[in-house]
Amino acid sequence: MIDQRIKFRHLQTFVEVSRQKSVMKAAEMLHVSQPAVTKTIRELEDALGVRVLERDGRGIRVTRLGEVFLRHAGAAISALRQGVDSIAADRLGHGEPVRIGALPTVSTRIMPRAMALFLGENTSSRVKIVTGENAVLLGQLRIGDLDIVVGRLAAPEQMTGLSFEHLYSEEVRFVVRAGHPLLGRGAFDFADLTRYVALMPTRTSIIRPFVERLLIAHGVPNWPTQIETVSHAFGRAFVRSNDAVWVISEGVVAADIEDGVLAALPIDTSETKGPVGLTIRADQQPTLGLGLLMQTLREVAAELPR
């Protein structure tokens, strides 16, 4: 039986503090005082009979039992938000909104085509597309700020409470501008890479461990000059005007390579291949708009060369 002392404000406050990892930042987002946030969390812990948050240095982290409750709290808030959105959409004559988190690899490869087909169905659904690192997008998915994340499969420990559907697999590529000095040579030597600036995925990105293992296996444990970025706009502009080497998922640069603007170095990256697909909350019931979007993404992915 649900403790009647637990109110919506308790769930909302707990989810926000968990997301911000800070009482001060959560208070700013909720437009209340810090003492009010602290009091609300204490009330929630009293009702549950367990600690859900604890100090972690200068910040705050969610306890083990708090993580369990967070999944349900996020789902409850998401369900309520969907209900409110459904009523608002019905009154305005619009379909329910579809909020998408898309990793850069799909933002350029399948999302434009899928979105064109989706809009052609005239669902009247409002669409929001957010890009960013996988961990950030999955965090927003858990608390209901996003309805779906389209990208690479996350590590097992990040998939608790989430469901993944495989669409296709892709590799990481080492990409340079057309006419780069490393192109058109004989046998490729990995040591030559280190003479150039590397645009690398960030250390928290999914593909970073694959890249590091590949480099170590070929005698490059450290690339002296690196720029870490998840911005494909910056990466594309920088590598086209410099002799840098861009280490990036092939989906981001497939069109550039096809157009001859960029070129992939002759490196066997098959061991970096990983699944790309759809991630939603395991307890989530897709709305009509979300279900249609998922089907559209499946169809577009099926058209990709294998």
Side-chain angles (χ1 to χ4, degrees), residues 5-15 40 43-44:
R5 291 176 294 172
I6 299 178
K7 309 297 183 183
F8 177 76
R9 63 183 176 86
H10 293 110
L11 303 183
Q12 185 181 36
T13 301
F14 172 54
V15 167
T40 301
E43 291 175 351
L44 176 62

Side-chain angles (χ1 to χ4, degrees), residues 66 73 85 103 111-112 153 164 175 187 199 201 210 216 220 248 250 261:
D85 287 344
L103 266 67
M111 189 58 71
L153 173 63
F164 179 83
V175 179
L199 296 187
F210 295 93
I216 290 172
V220 185
I248 189 68
E250 62 180 339
V261 177

Side-chain angles (χ1 to χ4, degrees), residues 11 19 23 137 160 268 297-298:
L11 303 183
R19 182 169 69 162
V23 169
L137 297 180
T160 304
D268 181 5
L297 286 164
R298 295 184 190 108

Side-chain angles (χ1 to χ4, degrees), residues 134-287:
N134 196 66
V136 174
L137 297 180
L138 291 181
Q140 294 177 338
L141 176 65
R142 288 184 185 281
I143 64 175
D145 283 349
L146 294 174
D147 301 307
I148 188 171
V149 171
V150 191
R152 278 214 177 200
L153 173 63
E157 63 271 16
Q158 294 180 306
M159 290 300 295
T160 304
L162 302 176
S163 175
F164 179 83
E165 178 185 341
H166 179 264
L167 292 180
Y168 62 94
S169 296
E170 71 175 10
E171 302 176 20
V172 172
R173 298 295 187 193
F174 289 65
V175 179
V176 295
R177 64 171 178 81
H180 192 280
L182 289 176
L183 295 172
R185 302 173 61 176
F188 185 81
D189 188 347
F190 264 80
D192 291 340
L193 289 173
T194 60
R195 295 191 289 111
Y196 301 93
V197 176
L199 296 187
M200 293 282 282
T202 60
R203 297 188 184 278
T204 57
S205 67
I206 295 176
I207 65 174
R208 181 62 181 253
F210 295 93
V211 173
E212 291 182 337
R213 285 195 292 268
L214 177 67
L215 291 173
I216 290 172
H218 288 85
V220 185
N222 180 50
W223 201 321
T225 308
Q226 298 183 19
I227 299 175
E228 294 188 6
T229 180
V230 295
S231 170
H232 58 273
F234 168 75
R236 182 172 289 106
F238 189 81
V239 80
R240 288 178 64 176
S241 58
N242 294 272
D243 283 342
V245 179
W246 191 10
V247 185
I248 189 68
S249 293
E250 62 180 339
V252 176
V253 292
D256 301 277
I257 293 175
E258 184 177 345
D259 293 341
V261 177
L262 301 179
L265 293 175
I267 298 174
D268 181 5
T269 57
S270 56
E271 63 185 83
T272 66
K273 181 175 288 188
V276 177
L278 313 175
T279 301
I280 63 173
R281 294 182 297 278
D283 58 355
Q284 185 176 358
Q285 293 298 321
T287 62

Side-chain angles (χ1 to χ4, degrees), residues 20-196:
Q20 300 292 340
K21 301 294 189 295
S22 164
V23 169
M24 180 181 68
K25 292 180 180 178
E28 292 175 354
M29 295 298 296
L30 295 170
H31 304 291
V32 298
S33 66
Q34 293 184 48
V37 170
T38 301
K39 179 182 178 183
T40 301
I41 294 298
R42 286 176 179 169
E43 291 175 351
L44 176 62
E45 291 179 332
D46 288 342
L48 294 174
V50 298
R51 295 286 301 278
V52 293
L53 297 171
E54 60 186 14
R55 288 286 179 186
D56 182 24
R58 295 184 176 180
I60 289 176
R61 73 177 185 88
V62 184
T63 66
R64 182 176 59 83
L65 291 175
E67 289 284 1
V68 174
F69 185 69
L70 179 60
R71 293 197 296 273
H72 298 287
I77 292 175
S78 176
L80 181 57
R81 183 182 286 120
Q82 286 184 5
V84 173
D85 287 344
S86 296
I87 296 299
D90 182 73
R91 291 178 60 189
L92 295 173
H94 299 307
E96 294 180 341
V98 179
R99 300 160 299 175
I100 309 160
L103 266 67
T105 182
V106 301
S107 294
T108 54
R109 192 169 199 183
I110 66 171
M111 189 58 71
R113 170 66 175 157
M115 192 52 55
L117 294 175
F118 176 76
L119 295 175
E121 296 292 340
N122 296 317
T123 64
S124 298
S125 294
R126 290 172 289 116
V127 178
K128 174 183 178 182
I129 300 178
V130 177
T131 60
E133 291 192 340
N134 196 66
V136 174
L137 297 180
L138 291 181
Q140 294 177 338
L141 176 65
R142 288 184 185 281
I143 64 175
D145 283 349
L146 294 174
D147 301 307
I148 188 171
V149 171
V150 191
R152 278 214 177 200
L153 173 63
E157 63 271 16
Q158 294 180 306
M159 290 300 295
T160 304
L162 302 176
S163 175
F164 179 83
E165 178 185 341
H166 179 264
L167 292 180
Y168 62 94
S169 296
E170 71 175 10
E171 302 176 20
V172 172
R173 298 295 187 193
F174 289 65
V175 179
V176 295
R177 64 171 178 81
H180 192 280
L182 289 176
L183 295 172
R185 302 173 61 176
F188 185 81
D189 188 347
F190 264 80
D192 291 340
L193 289 173
T194 60
R195 295 191 289 111
Y196 301 93

